[in-house]
Amino acid sequence: MADIKEKLKQLKKEREARSKTISKTIEKSQSRYQKVEKTWEEIDKNEELSIKEKLQKLINLTTEERETKVEPPAFEPLEREPLQLYENPYPLETKYGKIPLSLGLNVRGEILSCLSRDPAFESLDLSSSLFIDLETSGLSGGAGIIPFLIGLGFYRNDRFNVVQYFLGDPAEEERLIEELRKFFTEMEFQSVVSFNGKVFDIPLLETRFILHRQPLTLNELPHLDFLFSARSLWRHKHESCRLYHLAREIVQADRAEDIPSAEIPYRYFQYLRTGNFTLMEPVLYHNQEDILSLLGLVITGSMLFSEKCEEWVEDSRDFFGVGKIFENIGDLDKSASYFERALEGDLSEEISILAKKKLSYYFKKNRLWDRALALWKDMASLDQLFSFRELAMYYEHREKDLEEAKKIAEEGLAVSLGVSSFFESDFSYRLERLRRKIQRKKDNKKKE
């Protein structure tokens, strides 16, 4: 990775040099324009010539100037390697950002099962997982998109290894697919880890395998697509859940030399046209960083579920994220306990209300009415419409206190006017029904 960073620094110098060349070209063009303008002024002084003759003279002068220039030699593309393999083994004590790579071997299967929502992970760990990330000739799917760089990460022989297959010639794709098939078979991976791989990487790779009449065995393995877990854990905390952004914010990885993903397909087509491999060196670096970033995020996310989670929790929002993961898998008891832990710390009003809302429904489901009631009253003071609705239902159906239910429904209606048509309609209908019930009750008393 150090060698690639040095090459990237060299590429920056080359870009700066190209920028200077472009500036000189612009200056030269401006100078030529000024020269043509000056020539025209001199020609235009000759009143004996017609406009047509003056223009012809100007054209002749500028044409003669161009014809004296030496044409550059025809461009010849460099020879390309059809298929290349790169291997980068990292000792377990290596740190990526703030994360020691060895910690990945401590992640238990039950945690992976929570993150993936797949019970098949309970008997597995990351020692037999394949981390995968593709760089492709386009950013959308489809049969015309080629995965030209396949990045693979895995633990073996006291190392975390990053292996990259680079397709230098699209005509050799069948050979690439065969090499990958052998690799997947020989390594006997037990699971797959990706970032948006269920939607993009694996379906695209499967398409290429099918086109070359090969089975993709990775399809049969449990798959942790960490994008979905990352969104639950950190979307409420970070402005972006892109892998690059989370790696810098959470793992504290230095990706200063990285290039934008959108630039990668263009670089590959430029490489195919020119054979200039320096165009691809930043792409190899980007792909390797994506694999290591994915590992770092999986480790960090997993540690939030461990017995020593306090060492990894940055603030109360992390407890809220873990609560959402347990909510996703249907473990509402654990989910509620983490939401309560989150509320013990400092949360924004938005996240605090969301945690209280989730807890209130949990308490309601478990008939813990006093605790649910306290949360609804608290949120009603913040004009949360759903809490007025819950309070009105509680007093109408459980306490049988129709007057109190009516009073709360009236407050809810006043708050909802011009804000929510759903709640406005709900409170209006509720009030009509409560008034009828109250009137019937009064009528019955009179009869008695």
Side-chain angles (χ1 to χ4, degrees):
M1 188 161 63
D3 291 341
I4 293 178
K5 284 191 174 182
E6 288 301 318
K7 289 178 180 178
L8 287 171
K9 288 178 181 177
Q10 181 61 34
L11 284 172
K12 276 189 175 180
K13 292 179 181 178
E14 291 175 6
R15 281 198 296 269
E16 289 170 0
R18 285 196 297 271
S19 179
K20 289 179 182 177
T21 302
I22 291 169
S23 297
K24 287 179 181 178
T25 302
I26 292 171
E27 289 173 6
K28 193 173 180 181
S29 298
Q30 291 173 340
S31 175
R32 184 172 180 274
Y33 173 78
Q34 291 168 353
K35 188 174 180 180
V36 170
E37 189 176 35
K38 191 174 181 181
T39 303
W40 170 253
E41 288 175 359
E42 292 297 321
I43 294 172
D44 194 39
K45 290 177 182 178
N46 190 341
E47 297 179 356
E48 295 179 1
L49 297 175
S50 66
I51 294 294
K52 183 177 180 181
E53 289 170 333
K54 289 177 183 179
L55 289 172
Q56 188 60 53
K57 191 169 184 179
L58 180 66
I59 291 169
N60 291 340
L61 285 171
T62 53
T63 303
E64 286 171 10
E65 184 182 335
R66 283 201 300 269
E67 286 174 352
T68 58
K69 292 182 180 178
V70 179
E71 290 296 325
F75 172 76
E76 292 184 8
L78 301 171
E79 186 176 351
R80 301 191 304 265
E81 285 286 336
L83 184 61
Q84 299 179 59
L85 176 65
Y86 299 90
E87 298 180 81
N88 292 288
Y90 294 91
L92 294 181
E93 61 270 18
T94 303
K95 278 191 173 184
Y96 182 70
K98 67 177 183 179
I99 307 298
L101 301 186
S102 60
L103 284 180
L105 296 174
N106 297 339
V107 178
R108 302 192 310 275
E110 63 192 71
I111 296 175
L112 295 174
S113 179
C114 287
L115 293 171
S116 64
R117 306 188 208 179
D118 187 347
F121 270 99
E122 289 183 2
S123 59
L124 302 172
D125 56 42
L126 294 181
S127 66
S128 59
S129 294
L130 172 67
F131 291 74
I132 188 167
D133 183 66
L134 308 183
E135 308 303 336
T136 64
S137 61
L139 299 179
S140 59
I145 303 301
I146 299 172
F148 65 83
L149 179 59
I150 291 80
L152 308 168
F154 53 92
Y155 286 101
R156 284 293 188 279
N157 303 320
D158 296 324
R159 298 281 190 277
F160 183 78
N161 304 276
V162 178
V163 171
Q164 295 169 296
Y165 287 86
F166 176 72
L167 182 64
D169 185 349
E172 293 294 316
E173 186 184 29
E174 185 173 5
R175 179 181 160 197
L176 167 66
I177 297 300
E178 177 59 22
E179 290 295 323
L180 288 172
R181 186 195 65 78
K182 290 179 182 177
F183 180 81
F184 296 151
T185 302
E186 290 169 4
M187 297 299 290
E188 297 182 335
F189 296 111
Q190 300 299 304
S191 63
V192 177
V193 182
S194 72
F195 201 82
N196 201 33
K198 283 187 176 181
V199 175
F200 185 77
D201 301 72
I202 296 301
L204 179 57
L205 198 59
E206 182 183 26
T207 298
R208 308 318 297 180
F209 269 67
I210 289 172
L211 288 173
H212 294 284
R213 298 184 179 85
Q214 294 287 358
L216 180 62
T217 55
L218 300 184
N219 270 341
E220 303 166 6
L221 303 178
H223 187 160
L224 167 57
D225 188 335
F226 198 70
L227 172 61
F228 303 104
S229 302
R231 285 173 175 168
S232 293
L233 287 170
W234 297 305
R235 181 165 52 188
H236 57 279
K237 184 176 178 179
H238 294 283
E239 62 183 24
S240 171
C241 280
R242 289 177 57 238
L243 181 59
Y244 169 86
H245 181 83
L246 291 178
R248 297 192 69 176
E249 294 294 321
I250 295 171
V251 182
Q252 296 175 11
D254 177 17
R255 298 190 62 163
E257 304 293 336
D258 208 350
I259 60 172
S261 298
E263 188 180 315
I264 290 174
Y266 171 77
R267 280 181 169 268
Y268 184 59
F269 287 121
Q270 286 292 97
Y271 163 75
L272 293 179
R273 187 177 67 83
T274 65
N276 181 6
F277 193 74
T278 58
L279 291 164
M280 288 292 98
E281 286 169 352
V283 181
L284 288 166
Y285 171 78
H286 172 93
N287 179 255
Q288 184 173 232
E289 288 290 297
D290 275 357
I291 293 290
L292 294 170
S293 294
L294 175 58
L295 174 61
L297 285 175
V298 171
I299 291 173
T300 307
S302 299
M303 290 302 158
L304 295 175
F305 293 78
S306 67
E307 291 81 1
K308 298 180 179 180
C309 65
E310 284 79 5
E311 298 175 13
W312 294 85
V313 169
E314 294 181 349
D315 54 54
S316 297
R317 292 175 295 177
D318 289 326
F319 288 128
F320 180 77
V322 175
K324 286 177 67 180
I325 293 289
F326 281 117
E327 182 183 43
N328 291 340
I329 63 174
D331 192 336
L332 300 184
D333 292 340
K334 285 185 179 178
S335 176
S337 69
Y338 275 97
F339 290 145
E340 287 185 295
R341 291 178 74 177
L343 287 169
E344 291 171 3
D346 293 326
L347 296 175
S348 67
E349 183 178 292
E350 180 183 2
I351 298 174
S352 176
I353 288 172
L354 189 54
K356 288 175 181 178
K357 184 176 182 179
K358 291 176 181 292
L359 273 174
S360 72
Y361 287 141
Y362 172 79
F363 294 145
K364 178 182 178 181
K365 182 179 179 180
N366 289 276
R367 296 179 172 276
L368 300 170
W369 297 109
D370 289 345
R371 301 185 71 179
L373 199 61
L375 288 172
W376 289 329
K377 287 180 178 180
D378 179 37
M379 286 182 283
S381 67
L382 298 172
D383 289 343
Q384 294 299 304
L385 291 171
F386 84 94
S387 61
F388 287 105
R389 184 171 184 265
E390 291 294 335
L391 285 168
M393 288 192 292
Y394 172 80
Y395 282 106
E396 179 182 0
H397 300 296
R398 288 206 57 80
E399 296 292 331
K400 309 300 181 183
D401 188 340
L402 300 181
E403 290 293 344
E404 183 66 17
K406 175 175 168 288
K407 176 185 172 184
I408 292 169
E410 286 172 340
E411 290 180 34
L413 178 60
V415 174
S416 67
L417 289 173
V419 176
S420 169
S421 58
F422 169 78
F423 281 106
E424 186 178 339
S425 174
D426 179 87
F427 288 128
S428 296
Y429 174 79
R430 192 175 301 280
L431 278 169
E432 288 179 14
R433 189 182 68 248
L434 285 167
R435 289 181 184 122
R436 289 195 300 269
K437 289 175 79 171
I438 291 170
Q439 188 60 47
R440 279 200 302 270
K441 190 174 181 181
K442 289 178 178 179
D443 292 342
N444 290 335
K445 279 187 177 181
K446 286 180 181 179
K447 290 178 181 178
E448 292 174 1

